[in-house]
Amino acid sequence: MLRFIVATATVCLSLLFQSSITTAFSPPTPIAARRISYGALSAKKSSKPSFNKSTGRWDAPANYNEEETYGVVGSLLRQGPGPFLVRITKADDYEQAVLKYMASENCSRVQAQANMDAYFNNAADWAYQKMQEKKGAPKVDYNKVKTKDVALALIWAVFITPFFIRTGYLIAETGTWDVSLDQILNK
């Protein structure tokens, strides 16, 4: 079990730091370009995505910049495993949802992505918050990475998810629900 947890932790940490490793081997960028924060990106307004009636899909705006986005690990860190899994398993649906939100709210790609991540994490709370914002409540910045959320995502990735996977494996292997904590931790 310990080897399984160590292997899972290794995979999760490698995914977490993949973006920083990837940028370490890319060509250097000008200092001004490196100082762009997500807050600055969210302040930029881009032209709206358009709906293509012949295909029934949203098309990215002409000035769409792939740099104004964050990857699947960013979704995991901001909102947890829900949006992370949606981005991996239903990438096209996720992209269409982001483009539709960009068009309807006239916001940047990063703002739309952060809102869709919050929606896929907990749709009811996200909808309630949007309703409250229309009534005058302060707007929530879903783009901000919170230390607590990062810690919770890592705990889920390293401890809780492997525990459930191991429990499911033992139930399937033994054919009974009579699985003890000792079996889960020691085999």
Side-chain angles (χ1 to χ4, degrees):
M1 180 66 185
L2 182 60
R3 281 185 276 164
F4 181 70
I5 290 175
V6 170
T8 305
T10 305
V11 168
C12 291
L13 289 174
S14 67
L15 285 174
L16 178 65
F17 296 112
Q18 180 182 8
S19 62
S20 61
I21 291 170
T22 305
T23 57
F25 295 105
S26 63
T29 56
I31 292 173
R34 280 185 261 159
R35 289 189 182 156
I36 294 176
S37 68
Y38 285 122
L41 290 175
S42 64
K44 281 186 187 177
K45 296 288 183 192
S46 61
S47 65
K48 286 180 157 187
S50 57
F51 186 72
N52 187 336
K53 291 181 182 179
S54 63
T55 62
R57 299 174 48 79
W58 289 93
D59 294 330
N63 64 345
Y64 178 73
N65 185 358
E66 194 64 39
E67 305 257 331
E68 290 187 17
T69 185
Y70 54 82
V72 294
V73 175
S75 293
L76 177 67
L77 294 177
R78 283 170 179 78
Q79 295 293 333
F84 174 78
L85 293 173
V86 168
R87 286 191 71 176
I88 290 174
T89 59
K90 300 177 182 176
D92 188 56
D93 292 343
Y94 178 86
E95 180 66 21
Q96 289 295 301
V98 169
L99 292 172
K100 182 177 180 181
Y101 190 85
M102 282 175 68
S104 64
E105 297 296 319
N106 195 24
C107 65
S108 71
R109 163 81 185 182
V110 174
Q111 285 177 323
Q113 213 173 337
N115 273 278
M116 287 297 94
D117 285 346
Y119 173 81
F120 289 124
N121 182 42
N122 188 338
D125 283 353
W126 179 83
Y128 176 78
Q129 180 60 38
K130 289 298 170 188
M131 212 166 46
Q132 293 303 314
E133 287 175 7
K134 287 180 182 176
K135 292 180 181 178
K139 290 191 174 202
V140 174
D141 182 13
Y142 293 112
N143 190 29
K144 191 174 186 180
V145 177
K146 299 172 190 142
T147 308
K148 177 186 148 208
D149 293 342
V150 172
L152 288 173
L154 288 173
I155 288 170
W156 268 95
V158 174
F159 298 107
I160 297 171
T161 302
F163 179 82
F164 284 127
I165 290 171
R166 175 74 175 157
T167 304
Y169 170 76
L170 287 173
I171 290 169
E173 188 71 23
T174 61
T176 179
W177 286 89
D178 189 23
V179 177
S180 68
L181 186 59
D182 188 50
Q183 286 177 304
I184 295 169
L185 297 177
N186 292 327
K187 279 193 175 183

